[in-house]
Every structure is written in structure tokens, then in C-alpha cells.
Coordinates of all heavy atoms in Angstrom, one line a residue:
M10 N -30.8 2.1 -226.5 CA -31.9 3.0 -226.9 C -31.8 4.2 -226.1 O -31.7 4.2 -224.9 CB -33.3 2.3 -226.8 CG -34.4 3.2 -227.2 SD -36.0 2.4 -227.1 CE -36.1 1.8 -228.8
T11 N -31.8 5.4 -226.7 CA -31.7 6.7 -226.0 C -33.1 7.3 -225.8 O -34.1 6.8 -226.4 CB -30.9 7.7 -226.8 OG1 -31.5 7.9 -228.0 CG2 -29.5 7.1 -227.0
K12 N -33.2 8.3 -225.0 CA -34.4 9.0 -224.8 C -35.0 9.5 -226.2 O -36.2 9.5 -226.4 CB -34.3 10.2 -223.8 CG -35.6 10.9 -223.5 CD -35.5 11.8 -222.3 CE -34.4 12.8 -222.4 NZ -34.4 13.8 -221.3
A13 N -34.1 10.0 -227.1 CA -34.5 10.5 -228.4 C -35.1 9.4 -229.2 O -36.1 9.6 -229.9 CB -33.3 11.1 -229.1
D14 N -34.6 8.2 -229.1 CA -35.2 7.0 -229.8 C -36.5 6.7 -229.3 O -37.4 6.4 -230.0 CB -34.2 5.8 -229.6 CG -32.9 6.0 -230.3 OD1 -32.8 6.8 -231.3 OD2 -31.9 5.3 -229.9
V15 N -36.7 6.8 -227.9 CA -38.0 6.5 -227.3 C -39.0 7.5 -227.8 O -40.2 7.1 -228.2 CB -37.9 6.5 -225.8 CG1 -39.3 6.4 -225.1 CG2 -37.0 5.4 -225.3
I16 N -38.7 8.8 -227.8 CA -39.6 9.8 -228.3 C -39.9 9.6 -229.7 O -41.1 9.7 -230.1 CB -38.9 11.2 -228.1 CG1 -38.8 11.5 -226.6 CG2 -39.7 12.3 -228.8 CD1 -37.9 12.7 -226.2
A17 N -39.0 9.2 -230.6 CA -39.3 9.0 -232.0 C -40.2 7.8 -232.2 O -41.2 7.9 -233.0 CB -38.0 8.8 -232.7
Q18 N -40.0 6.7 -231.4 CA -40.9 5.6 -231.5 C -42.3 5.9 -231.1 O -43.3 5.5 -231.7 CB -40.3 4.4 -230.8 CG -39.3 3.6 -231.5 CD -39.0 2.3 -230.9 OE1 -39.7 1.8 -230.0 NE2 -37.9 1.6 -231.4
I19 N -42.4 6.6 -229.9 CA -43.8 6.9 -229.4 C -44.5 7.8 -230.4 O -45.7 7.6 -230.7 CB -43.7 7.6 -228.1 CG1 -43.2 6.6 -227.0 CG2 -45.1 8.2 -227.7 CD1 -42.9 7.2 -225.7
S20 N -43.8 8.8 -231.0 CA -44.3 9.7 -232.0 C -44.8 8.9 -233.2 O -45.9 9.2 -233.7 CB -43.3 10.8 -232.3 OG -43.8 11.6 -233.3
E21 N -44.0 8.0 -233.6 CA -44.3 7.2 -234.8 C -45.5 6.3 -234.6 O -46.4 6.2 -235.5 CB -43.1 6.3 -235.2 CG -43.1 5.7 -236.5 CD -41.8 4.9 -236.7 OE1 -40.8 5.5 -236.9 OE2 -41.9 3.6 -236.8
K22 N -45.6 5.7 -233.4 CA -46.7 4.8 -233.1 C -48.0 5.5 -232.8 O -49.1 4.9 -233.1 CB -46.3 3.9 -231.9 CG -45.3 2.8 -232.2 CD -45.0 1.9 -231.1 CE -44.0 0.9 -231.4 NZ -43.8 -0.1 -230.4
T23 N -48.0 6.7 -232.3 CA -49.2 7.4 -231.9 C -49.6 8.5 -232.9 O -50.7 8.9 -232.9 CB -49.0 8.0 -230.5 OG1 -48.0 9.0 -230.5 CG2 -48.8 7.0 -229.5
G24 N -48.7 8.9 -233.7 CA -49.0 10.0 -234.6 C -48.9 11.4 -233.9 O -49.3 12.4 -234.5
V25 N -48.5 11.4 -232.7 CA -48.4 12.7 -231.9 C -47.0 13.4 -232.2 O -46.0 12.7 -232.4 CB -48.5 12.4 -230.4 CG1 -48.3 13.7 -229.6 CG2 -49.8 11.7 -230.1
D26 N -47.0 14.7 -232.3 CA -45.8 15.4 -232.6 C -44.7 15.1 -231.6 O -44.9 14.9 -230.4 CB -46.1 16.9 -232.6 CG -44.9 17.8 -232.9 OD1 -44.4 17.6 -234.0 OD2 -44.6 18.7 -232.1
K27 N -43.4 15.0 -232.1 CA -42.3 14.7 -231.2 C -42.1 15.7 -230.1 O -41.8 15.3 -229.0 CB -41.0 14.7 -232.1 CG -40.8 13.4 -232.9 CD -39.5 13.4 -233.6 CE -39.3 12.2 -234.5 NZ -38.0 12.2 -235.1
G28 N -42.4 17.0 -230.3 CA -42.3 18.0 -229.3 C -43.3 17.7 -228.1 O -42.9 17.8 -227.0
D29 N -44.5 17.3 -228.5 CA -45.5 17.0 -227.5 C -45.1 15.7 -226.7 O -45.3 15.6 -225.5 CB -46.9 16.8 -228.1 CG -47.4 18.1 -228.7 OD1 -47.0 19.2 -228.2 OD2 -48.3 18.0 -229.6
V30 N -44.6 14.7 -227.4 CA -44.2 13.5 -226.8 C -43.0 13.8 -225.8 O -43.0 13.3 -224.7 CB -43.7 12.4 -227.8 CG1 -43.1 11.2 -227.2 CG2 -44.9 12.0 -228.7
Q31 N -42.1 14.6 -226.2 CA -40.9 14.9 -225.4 C -41.4 15.6 -224.1 O -40.9 15.3 -223.0 CB -39.9 15.8 -226.1 CG -38.7 16.2 -225.3 CD -37.7 17.0 -226.0 OE1 -37.9 17.3 -227.2 NE2 -36.6 17.3 -225.4
Q32 N -42.3 16.6 -224.3 CA -42.8 17.3 -223.1 C -43.6 16.3 -222.1 O -43.4 16.4 -220.9 CB -43.8 18.4 -223.6 CG -44.3 19.3 -222.4 CD -45.2 20.4 -223.0 OE1 -45.5 20.5 -224.1 NE2 -45.5 21.3 -222.1
T33 N -44.3 15.4 -222.7 CA -45.0 14.4 -221.8 C -44.1 13.5 -221.1 O -44.2 13.3 -219.9 CB -46.0 13.6 -222.7 OG1 -46.9 14.5 -223.4 CG2 -46.8 12.6 -221.9
L34 N -43.1 13.0 -221.8 CA -42.1 12.2 -221.2 C -41.3 12.9 -220.2 O -41.0 12.3 -219.1 CB -41.1 11.6 -222.3 CG -40.2 10.4 -222.0 CD1 -41.1 9.2 -221.6 CD2 -39.3 10.1 -223.1
E35 N -40.9 14.1 -220.4 CA -40.2 14.9 -219.4 C -41.0 15.1 -218.2 O -40.6 15.1 -217.0 CB -39.7 16.2 -220.0 CG -38.6 16.1 -221.0 CD -37.3 15.6 -220.5 OE1 -37.0 15.7 -219.2 OE2 -36.5 15.1 -221.3
S36 N -42.3 15.4 -218.4 CA -43.3 15.5 -217.3 C -43.4 14.3 -216.4 O -43.4 14.3 -215.2 CB -44.6 16.0 -217.8 OG -44.6 17.2 -218.4
F37 N -43.4 13.1 -217.1 CA -43.5 11.8 -216.4 C -42.2 11.7 -215.5 O -42.3 11.3 -214.4 CB -43.6 10.7 -217.4 CG -43.5 9.3 -216.8 CD1 -44.6 8.8 -216.0 CD2 -42.4 8.6 -216.9 CE1 -44.5 7.6 -215.4 CE2 -42.3 7.3 -216.3 CZ -43.3 6.8 -215.5
F38 N -41.1 11.9 -216.1 CA -39.8 11.8 -215.3 C -39.8 12.7 -214.1 O -39.4 12.4 -213.0 CB -38.6 12.1 -216.2 CG -38.3 11.1 -217.3 CD1 -37.8 11.4 -218.5 CD2 -38.7 9.7 -217.1 CE1 -37.5 10.5 -219.5 CE2 -38.4 8.8 -218.1 CZ -37.8 9.2 -219.3
T39 N -40.3 14.0 -214.3 CA -40.4 14.9 -213.2 C -41.3 14.4 -212.1 O -41.0 14.5 -210.9 CB -40.9 16.3 -213.7 OG1 -40.0 16.8 -214.7 CG2 -41.0 17.3 -212.6
V40 N -42.5 13.8 -212.5 CA -43.4 13.3 -211.5 C -42.8 12.2 -210.7 O -42.9 12.1 -209.5 CB -44.7 12.8 -212.2 CG1 -45.6 12.0 -211.2 CG2 -45.5 14.0 -212.7
V41 N -42.0 11.3 -211.4 CA -41.4 10.2 -210.8 C -40.3 10.7 -209.8 O -40.3 10.3 -208.6 CB -40.7 9.2 -211.8 CG1 -39.8 8.2 -211.1 CG2 -41.8 8.5 -212.6
K42 N -39.5 11.6 -210.2 CA -38.4 12.2 -209.3 C -39.0 12.9 -208.1 O -38.6 12.7 -207.0 CB -37.5 13.1 -210.1 CG -36.6 12.4 -211.1 CD -35.6 13.3 -211.7 CE -36.0 13.8 -213.1 NZ -35.1 14.6 -213.8
D43 N -40.0 13.7 -208.4 CA -40.7 14.5 -207.3 C -41.3 13.5 -206.3 O -41.2 13.8 -205.1 CB -41.7 15.5 -207.8 CG -41.0 16.6 -208.6 OD1 -39.8 16.8 -208.5 OD2 -41.8 17.4 -209.3
S44 N -42.0 12.5 -206.8 CA -42.7 11.6 -205.9 C -41.7 10.8 -205.0 O -41.9 10.7 -203.8 CB -43.5 10.5 -206.7 OG -44.5 11.1 -207.4
L45 N -40.6 10.3 -205.6 CA -39.6 9.6 -204.8 C -38.9 10.6 -203.8 O -38.6 10.2 -202.7 CB -38.6 8.9 -205.7 CG -39.2 7.8 -206.5 CD1 -38.1 7.2 -207.5 CD2 -39.7 6.7 -205.6
S46 N -38.7 11.8 -204.3 CA -38.0 12.8 -203.4 C -38.9 13.1 -202.2 O -38.4 13.4 -201.1 CB -37.8 14.1 -204.1 OG -36.8 13.9 -205.1
D47 N -40.2 13.1 -202.4 CA -41.2 13.3 -201.3 C -41.5 12.1 -200.4 O -42.3 12.1 -199.5 CB -42.5 13.8 -201.9 CG -42.4 15.2 -202.5 OD1 -41.5 15.9 -202.2 OD2 -43.3 15.6 -203.3
G48 N -40.8 11.0 -200.8 CA -41.0 9.7 -200.0 C -42.1 8.9 -200.4 O -42.5 7.9 -199.8
E49 N -42.7 9.2 -201.6 CA -43.9 8.4 -202.1 C -43.4 7.5 -203.2 O -42.6 7.8 -204.0 CB -44.9 9.3 -202.7 CG -45.6 10.3 -201.8 CD -46.5 11.2 -202.5 OE1 -47.3 10.7 -203.3 OE2 -46.5 12.4 -202.3
N50 N -43.8 6.2 -203.1 CA -43.6 5.3 -204.2 C -44.6 5.5 -205.3 O -45.7 5.9 -205.0 CB -43.6 3.8 -203.6 CG -42.5 3.6 -202.6 OD1 -41.5 4.2 -202.6 ND2 -42.8 2.7 -201.7
L51 N -44.2 5.1 -206.5 CA -45.1 5.2 -207.6 C -45.3 3.9 -208.3 O -44.4 3.2 -208.6 CB -44.4 6.2 -208.7 CG -45.2 6.5 -209.9 CD1 -46.2 7.7 -209.5 CD2 -44.3 7.0 -211.0
Y52 N -46.6 3.5 -208.4 CA -46.9 2.1 -208.9 C -47.6 2.3 -210.3 O -48.6 3.0 -210.4 CB -47.9 1.4 -208.0 CG -47.3 1.3 -206.6 CD1 -47.7 2.1 -205.6 CD2 -46.3 0.3 -206.3 CE1 -47.1 2.0 -204.3 CE2 -45.8 0.2 -205.0 CZ -46.2 1.0 -204.0 OH -45.6 0.9 -202.8
V53 N -47.1 1.6 -211.3 CA -47.7 1.7 -212.6 C -48.1 0.2 -212.9 O -47.3 -0.6 -213.2 CB -46.8 2.2 -213.7 CG1 -47.4 2.2 -215.1 CG2 -46.3 3.6 -213.3
R54 N -49.4 -0.1 -212.8 CA -49.9 -1.4 -213.0 C -49.5 -2.0 -214.4 O -49.6 -1.4 -215.4 CB -51.5 -1.4 -212.9 CG -52.0 -2.8 -212.9 CD -53.6 -2.8 -212.7 NE -54.0 -2.1 -211.6 CZ -54.2 -2.7 -210.4 NH1 -54.1 -4.0 -210.2 NH2 -54.6 -2.0 -209.4
G55 N -49.0 -3.2 -214.3 CA -48.6 -3.9 -215.5 C -47.2 -3.5 -216.0 O -46.6 -4.1 -217.0
F56 N -46.6 -2.5 -215.4 CA -45.2 -2.0 -215.8 C -44.2 -2.2 -214.7 O -43.3 -2.9 -214.8 CB -45.3 -0.6 -216.2 CG -43.9 -0.1 -216.7 CD1 -43.4 -0.5 -218.0 CD2 -43.2 0.8 -216.0 CE1 -42.2 -0.1 -218.4 CE2 -42.0 1.3 -216.5 CZ -41.5 0.8 -217.7
G57 N -44.5 -1.6 -213.5 CA -43.6 -1.8 -212.4 C -43.8 -0.7 -211.3 O -44.7 0.1 -211.4
S58 N -42.9 -0.7 -210.4 CA -42.9 0.2 -209.3 C -41.6 1.0 -209.1 O -40.5 0.4 -209.2 CB -43.2 -0.5 -207.9 OG -44.3 -1.3 -208.0
F59 N -41.7 2.3 -209.0 CA -40.6 3.1 -208.7 C -40.6 3.3 -207.1 O -41.6 3.9 -206.6 CB -40.6 4.5 -209.4 CG -40.6 4.4 -210.9 CD1 -41.8 4.2 -211.6 CD2 -39.4 4.3 -211.5 CE1 -41.8 4.1 -213.0 CE2 -39.4 4.2 -212.9 CZ -40.6 4.1 -213.6
I60 N -39.6 2.8 -206.5 CA -39.6 2.8 -205.0 C -38.3 3.4 -204.4 O -37.3 3.4 -205.1 CB -39.8 1.4 -204.4 CG1 -38.8 0.4 -204.9 CG2 -41.2 0.9 -204.8 CD1 -38.8 -1.0 -204.3
N61 N -38.3 3.8 -203.2 CA -37.1 4.2 -202.5 C -36.7 3.0 -201.7 O -37.4 2.4 -200.9 CB -37.4 5.3 -201.5 CG -37.5 6.6 -202.2 OD1 -36.7 7.0 -203.0 ND2 -38.6 7.4 -201.9
K62 N -35.4 2.6 -201.8 CA -34.8 1.5 -201.0 C -33.9 2.1 -200.0 O -33.2 3.0 -200.2 CB -34.0 0.6 -201.9 CG -34.8 -0.4 -202.7 CD -33.9 -1.5 -203.3 CE -34.8 -2.5 -204.0 NZ -33.9 -3.6 -204.5
K63 N -34.1 1.6 -198.8 CA -33.3 2.0 -197.7 C -32.0 1.3 -197.6 O -31.9 0.1 -197.6 CB -34.1 1.8 -196.3 CG -33.4 2.4 -195.1 CD -34.3 2.2 -193.9 CE -33.6 2.8 -192.7 NZ -34.5 2.7 -191.5
R64 N -30.9 2.0 -197.6 CA -29.5 1.4 -197.4 C -29.1 1.6 -195.9 O -29.2 2.7 -195.4 CB -28.5 2.1 -198.3 CG -28.8 1.9 -199.8 CD -28.5 0.5 -200.2 NE -28.6 0.4 -201.7 CZ -29.2 -0.5 -202.3 NH1 -29.8 -1.5 -201.6 NH2 -29.3 -0.6 -203.6
A65 N -28.7 0.6 -195.3 CA -28.3 0.6 -193.9 C -27.0 1.4 -193.7 O -26.2 1.5 -194.6 CB -28.2 -0.8 -193.3
R66 N -26.8 1.9 -192.5 CA -25.6 2.5 -192.1 C -24.4 1.5 -192.2 O -24.6 0.3 -191.8 CB -25.7 3.0 -190.7 CG -24.5 3.7 -190.2 CD -24.7 4.2 -188.8 NE -23.4 4.7 -188.3 CZ -23.3 5.4 -187.2 NH1 -24.4 5.8 -186.5 NH2 -22.1 5.8 -186.8
K67 N -23.3 1.9 -192.7 CA -22.2 0.9 -192.9 C -20.8 1.6 -192.8 O -20.7 2.8 -192.9 CB -22.3 0.2 -194.2 CG -22.1 1.1 -195.4 CD -22.2 0.2 -196.7 CE -22.0 1.1 -197.9 NZ -22.1 0.4 -199.2
V68 N -19.8 0.8 -192.6 CA -18.5 1.3 -192.6 C -17.8 1.0 -193.9 O -17.8 -0.1 -194.4 CB -17.6 0.6 -191.5 CG1 -16.2 1.1 -191.5 CG2 -18.3 0.9 -190.1
A69 N -17.4 2.1 -194.6 CA -16.7 1.9 -195.9 C -15.2 2.1 -195.7 O -14.8 2.9 -194.8 CB -17.2 3.0 -196.9
R70 N -14.4 1.4 -196.5 CA -13.0 1.5 -196.3 C -12.3 2.0 -197.6 O -12.7 1.5 -198.7 CB -12.4 0.1 -196.0 CG -13.1 -0.5 -194.7 CD -12.3 -1.7 -194.2 NE -13.0 -2.3 -193.1 CZ -13.3 -1.9 -191.9 NH1 -12.8 -0.7 -191.6 NH2 -13.9 -2.6 -191.0
N71 N -11.4 2.9 -197.4 CA -10.6 3.3 -198.6 C -9.3 2.5 -198.5 O -8.4 2.8 -197.7 CB -10.3 4.8 -198.4 CG -9.5 5.4 -199.6 OD1 -8.8 4.6 -200.3 ND2 -9.6 6.7 -199.8
I72 N -9.2 1.5 -199.3 CA -8.1 0.6 -199.3 C -6.7 1.3 -199.6 O -5.7 1.0 -198.9 CB -8.3 -0.6 -200.3 CG1 -9.5 -1.3 -199.9 CG2 -7.1 -1.5 -200.4 CD1 -10.0 -2.4 -200.9
S73 N -6.7 2.2 -200.5 CA -5.5 2.9 -200.9 C -4.9 3.7 -199.8 O -3.7 3.8 -199.6 CB -5.6 3.7 -202.2 OG -6.5 4.7 -202.0
K74 N -5.8 4.4 -199.0 CA -5.3 5.2 -197.9 C -5.3 4.5 -196.6 O -4.8 5.0 -195.6 CB -6.2 6.5 -197.8 CG -6.0 7.4 -199.0 CD -6.9 8.7 -198.8 CE -6.7 9.6 -199.9 NZ -7.5 10.8 -199.7
G75 N -6.0 3.4 -196.5 CA -6.0 2.6 -195.3 C -6.9 3.3 -194.2 O -6.7 3.1 -193.0
T76 N -7.9 4.0 -194.7 CA -8.8 4.7 -193.7 C -10.2 4.1 -193.9 O -10.5 3.4 -194.9 CB -8.9 6.2 -194.0 OG1 -9.3 6.4 -195.4 CG2 -7.5 6.9 -193.8
S77 N -11.0 4.4 -192.9 CA -12.4 4.0 -193.0 C -13.3 5.2 -192.6 O -12.9 6.1 -191.9 CB -12.7 2.8 -192.1 OG -12.4 3.2 -190.7
M78 N -14.5 5.1 -193.1 CA -15.5 6.2 -192.8 C -16.9 5.6 -192.7 O -17.1 4.5 -193.2 CB -15.5 7.3 -193.8 CG -15.9 6.8 -195.2 SD -15.7 8.0 -196.5 CE -17.1 9.0 -196.2
I79 N -17.7 6.2 -192.0 CA -19.1 5.7 -191.7 C -20.0 6.4 -192.8 O -20.0 7.6 -192.9 CB -19.6 6.0 -190.3 CG1 -18.7 5.2 -189.3 CG2 -21.0 5.6 -190.2 CD1 -19.0 5.4 -187.9
I80 N -20.8 5.6 -193.5 CA -21.8 6.1 -194.4 C -23.1 5.9 -193.7 O -23.5 4.8 -193.3 CB -21.8 5.4 -195.7 CG1 -20.4 5.6 -196.4 CG2 -22.9 5.8 -196.6 CD1 -20.2 4.8 -197.7
D81 N -23.8 7.0 -193.4 CA -25.1 6.9 -192.7 C -26.2 6.2 -193.6 O -26.0 6.1 -194.8 CB -25.6 8.3 -192.4 CG -24.8 9.0 -191.3 OD1 -24.3 8.2 -190.4 OD2 -24.7 10.2 -191.3
E82 N -27.2 5.8 -192.9 CA -28.3 5.2 -193.7 C -28.9 6.2 -194.6 O -28.9 7.4 -194.3 CB -29.4 4.6 -192.8 CG -30.3 5.6 -192.1 CD -31.3 4.9 -191.2 OE1 -31.2 3.7 -191.0 OE2 -32.3 5.6 -190.9
H83 N -29.3 5.7 -195.8 CA -29.8 6.6 -196.8 C -30.8 5.9 -197.8 O -30.9 4.7 -197.7 CB -28.7 7.3 -197.6 CG -27.8 6.3 -198.3 ND1 -26.8 5.6 -197.7 CD2 -27.8 5.9 -199.6 CE1 -26.2 4.9 -198.6 NE2 -26.8 5.0 -199.8
F84 N -31.4 6.6 -198.6 CA -32.4 6.0 -199.5 C -31.9 6.2 -201.0 O -31.3 7.2 -201.3 CB -33.8 6.6 -199.4 CG -34.5 6.3 -198.2 CD1 -34.3 7.1 -197.0 CD2 -35.3 5.2 -198.1 CE1 -35.0 6.8 -195.9 CE2 -35.9 4.9 -196.9 CZ -35.8 5.7 -195.8
V85 N -32.1 5.2 -201.8 CA -31.7 5.2 -203.2 C -33.0 4.9 -204.0 O -33.7 4.0 -203.6 CB -30.5 4.3 -203.6 CG1 -29.3 4.8 -202.9 CG2 -30.8 2.9 -203.2
P86 N -33.2 5.5 -205.2 CA -34.3 5.2 -206.0 C -34.1 3.8 -206.7 O -32.9 3.4 -207.0 CB -34.3 6.3 -207.1 CG -33.0 6.8 -207.1 CD -32.4 6.6 -205.7
S87 N -35.1 3.1 -206.9 CA -35.1 1.7 -207.4 C -36.3 1.5 -208.3 O -37.4 2.1 -208.1 CB -34.9 0.7 -206.3 OG -34.8 -0.6 -206.8
F88 N -36.2 0.6 -209.2 CA -37.3 0.1 -210.1 C -37.5 -1.3 -209.9 O -36.6 -2.1 -210.0 CB -37.1 0.5 -211.5 CG -38.2 0.0 -212.4 CD1 -39.4 0.6 -212.5 CD2 -38.0 -1.1 -213.3 CE1 -40.4 0.2 -213.3 CE2 -39.0 -1.5 -214.1 CZ -40.2 -0.9 -214.1
K89 N -38.8 -1.8 -209.6 CA -39.1 -3.2 -209.6 C -40.1 -3.5 -210.6 O -41.3 -3.0 -210.6 CB -39.6 -3.5 -208.2 CG -40.0 -5.0 -208.0 CD -40.5 -5.3 -206.6 CE -40.8 -6.8 -206.6 NZ -41.5 -7.1 -205.4
P90 N -39.8 -4.2 -211.7 CA -40.7 -4.5 -212.7 C -41.9 -5.4 -212.3 O -41.7 -6.2 -211.4 CB -39.9 -5.2 -213.8 CG -38.7 -5.8 -213.1 CD -38.5 -4.9 -211.9
A91 N -43.0 -5.2 -212.9 CA -44.2 -6.0 -212.6 C -44.0 -7.4 -213.2 O -43.2 -7.6 -214.1 CB -45.4 -5.4 -213.3
K92 N -44.7 -8.4 -212.7 CA -44.6 -9.8 -213.1 C -44.9 -9.9 -214.6 O -44.2 -10.7 -215.4 CB -45.5 -10.7 -212.4 CG -45.1 -10.9 -210.9 CD -46.1 -11.9 -210.2 CE -45.6 -12.1 -208.8 NZ -46.5 -12.9 -208.0
V93 N -45.9 -9.2 -215.1 CA -46.3 -9.2 -216.5 C -45.1 -8.7 -217.4 O -44.8 -9.3 -218.4 CB -47.5 -8.3 -216.8 CG1 -47.8 -8.2 -218.3 CG2 -48.7 -8.8 -216.0
F94 N -44.4 -7.7 -216.9 CA -43.2 -7.1 -217.6 C -42.1 -8.2 -217.7 O -41.5 -8.4 -218.7 CB -42.8 -5.8 -216.9 CG -41.7 -5.1 -217.6 CD1 -41.3 -5.3 -218.8 CD2 -41.2 -4.0 -216.9 CE1 -40.2 -4.6 -219.4 CE2 -40.1 -3.2 -217.5 CZ -39.7 -3.6 -218.7
V95 N -41.8 -8.8 -216.5 CA -40.7 -9.8 -216.4 C -41.0 -10.9 -217.3 O -40.1 -11.4 -218.1 CB -40.6 -10.2 -215.0 CG1 -39.6 -11.4 -214.9 CG2 -40.1 -9.1 -214.1
E96 N -42.3 -11.4 -217.3 CA -42.6 -12.6 -218.2 C -42.5 -12.2 -219.7 O -42.0 -13.0 -220.5 CB -44.0 -13.0 -217.9 CG -44.2 -13.7 -216.6 CD -43.3 -14.9 -216.4 OE1 -43.2 -15.7 -217.4 OE2 -42.6 -15.1 -215.4
Q97 N -42.8 -11.0 -220.1 CA -42.7 -10.6 -221.5 C -41.2 -10.6 -221.9 O -40.9 -11.0 -223.0 CB -43.3 -9.2 -221.6 CG -43.2 -8.7 -223.1 CD -43.8 -7.3 -223.3 OE1 -44.5 -6.8 -222.4 NE2 -43.7 -6.7 -224.4
V98 N -40.4 -10.1 -221.0 CA -38.9 -10.1 -221.3 C -38.4 -11.6 -221.4 O -37.7 -11.9 -222.3 CB -38.1 -9.3 -220.3 CG1 -36.6 -9.5 -220.5 CG2 -38.5 -7.8 -220.4
K99 N -38.8 -12.4 -220.4 CA -38.4 -13.8 -220.4 C -38.8 -14.6 -221.7 O -38.1 -15.4 -222.2 CB -38.9 -14.6 -219.2 CG -38.2 -14.3 -217.9 CD -38.8 -15.1 -216.8 CE -38.2 -14.9 -215.5 NZ -38.8 -15.6 -214.4
E100 N -40.0 -14.3 -222.2 CA -40.5 -15.0 -223.4 C -40.1 -14.3 -224.7 O -40.5 -14.8 -225.8 CB -42.0 -15.0 -223.3 CG -42.5 -15.9 -222.1 CD -44.0 -15.8 -221.8 OE1 -44.7 -15.1 -222.6 OE2 -44.4 -16.3 -220.8
S101 N -39.3 -13.3 -224.7 CA -38.9 -12.6 -225.9 C -38.0 -13.5 -226.8 O -37.0 -14.1 -226.4 CB -38.1 -11.4 -225.6 OG -37.5 -10.8 -226.7
D102 N -38.5 -13.7 -228.0 CA -37.8 -14.5 -229.0 C -36.4 -13.9 -229.4 O -35.4 -14.6 -229.6 CB -38.6 -14.7 -230.3 CG -39.8 -15.6 -230.0 OD1 -39.8 -16.4 -229.1 OD2 -40.8 -15.4 -230.7
K103 N -36.4 -12.6 -229.5 CA -35.1 -11.9 -229.8 C -34.1 -12.1 -228.7 O -32.9 -12.4 -229.0 CB -35.4 -10.4 -230.0 CG -36.1 -10.1 -231.3 CD -36.2 -8.6 -231.5 CE -36.9 -8.3 -232.8 NZ -37.0 -6.8 -233.0
L104 N -34.5 -12.1 -227.5 CA -33.5 -12.3 -226.4 C -33.1 -13.7 -226.3 O -31.9 -14.0 -226.0 CB -34.1 -11.8 -225.0 CG -34.2 -10.3 -224.9 CD1 -34.9 -10.0 -223.5 CD2 -32.9 -9.6 -225.0
K105 N -34.0 -14.7 -226.6 CA -33.6 -16.1 -226.6 C -32.6 -16.4 -227.7 O -31.6 -17.1 -227.5 CB -34.9 -16.9 -226.8 CG -35.8 -17.0 -225.6 CD -37.0 -17.9 -225.9 CE -37.9 -17.8 -224.7 NZ -39.2 -18.6 -224.9
A106 N -32.8 -15.8 -228.9 CA -31.9 -15.9 -230.0 C -30.5 -15.3 -229.6 O -29.5 -15.9 -230.0 CB -32.4 -15.3 -231.3
Y107 N -30.5 -14.2 -228.9 CA -29.3 -13.5 -228.5 C -28.5 -14.4 -227.5 O -27.3 -14.4 -227.6 CB -29.6 -12.1 -228.0 CG -28.4 -11.4 -227.5 CD1 -27.6 -10.8 -228.4 CD2 -28.1 -11.2 -226.2 CE1 -26.5 -10.0 -228.0 CE2 -27.0 -10.5 -225.8 CZ -26.2 -9.9 -226.7 OH -25.1 -9.2 -226.3
A108 N -29.2 -15.0 -226.6 CA -28.6 -15.8 -225.6 C -28.0 -17.1 -226.2 O -27.0 -17.6 -225.6 CB -29.6 -16.2 -224.5
E109 N -28.5 -17.6 -227.3 CA -27.9 -18.8 -227.9 C -26.6 -18.5 -228.7 O -25.9 -19.5 -229.0 CB -29.0 -19.4 -228.9 CG -30.2 -19.9 -228.2 CD -31.3 -20.3 -229.1 OE1 -31.1 -20.2 -230.3 OE2 -32.3 -20.8 -228.7
K110 N -26.3 -17.3 -228.9 CA -25.1 -17.0 -229.7 C -23.9 -17.2 -228.8 O -23.7 -17.2 -227.7 CB -25.1 -15.5 -230.1 CG -26.0 -15.2 -231.2 CD -26.0 -13.8 -231.6 CE -26.9 -13.5 -232.8 NZ -26.9 -12.2 -233.2

């Protein structure tokens, strides 16, 4: 599913114009990115958490050149789904039918 598909589905379900839905969705993405860039985690009850995960300093190796380099500790964005969200996916009949194939 693409962003355009999401916008179309939201517009269809709510009756809101696709342009307004797109603007709202883009604003949401901007808020998430800005919050994580500022070091703030974002919690959406019943959906999940957008968090920064800390990656430790490590030595990386380039096997083809036989060299190594140090990668400093850094943060990467991550999403942790809420328990309600995880349970909904686990109980999905469509996914169960897909897994049986």
C-alpha cells in the first residue's frame, strides 16, 4: 500500500477531500520527523510509539578492501507498535489464511 492509497482510503472513509487528507498526513509526518530530530519520542495511544534508538559505537569492516573503520554511536528512528495493534494483526483472519498457503 502506498501513501496515495492511504490518502484515498482515508478520504473515502471520512468523506474529506483528498487534498485535505494529504495535507493532514504530510503534517503528521512532519511532526513525527521534527519530534524525533529534537530528541522527543512520540506516543500514540492504541497505535504505537515513534522512538529514537541508540546504536552503540562499533567497528565495521570492509571485507573486500580488508579495512576497518569506527562508526560512532548514533540514533536511528524506530517504531514500536502498541499491544492492541500487535494483537489486532495477530488475530487477522486474512493473515492467518495467507500463512496457511
Side-chain angles (χ1 to χ4, degrees):
M10 178 178 268
T11 64
K12 183 167 54 171
D14 295 334
V15 172
I16 290 168
Q18 278 196 10
I19 292 172
S20 178
E21 192 177 291
K22 289 182 179 189
T23 62
V25 177
D26 181 56
K27 284 185 181 181
D29 293 337
V30 172
Q31 181 177 0
Q32 185 177 7
T33 303
L34 194 60
E35 291 294 338
S36 297
F37 174 74
F38 292 149
T39 300
V40 168
V41 171
K42 288 187 260 185
D43 290 346
S44 295
L45 292 176
S46 295
D47 292 341
E49 296 178 45
N50 295 333
L51 184 82
Y52 304 101
V53 180
R54 188 179 302 268
F56 184 71
S58 304
F59 297 91
I60 58 175
N61 283 312
K62 280 192 174 179
K63 186 176 181 180
R64 298 284 188 228
R66 181 180 172 163
K67 66 180 180 179
V68 176
R70 304 194 190 290
N71 183 338
I72 296 171
S73 63
K74 293 183 179 180
T76 60
S77 62
M78 62 185 283
I79 296 176
I80 298 176
D81 290 331
E82 72 178 16
H83 59 282
F84 291 89
V85 293
S87 181
F88 176 74
K89 182 179 179 188
K92 288 181 182 179
V93 174
F94 185 10
V95 172
E96 289 303 317
Q97 182 178 350
V98 172
K99 281 183 181 178
E100 295 172 4
S101 170
D102 291 334
K103 286 185 179 181
L104 290 177
K105 287 178 185 176
Y107 180 75
E109 292 174 359
K110 288 183 180 181

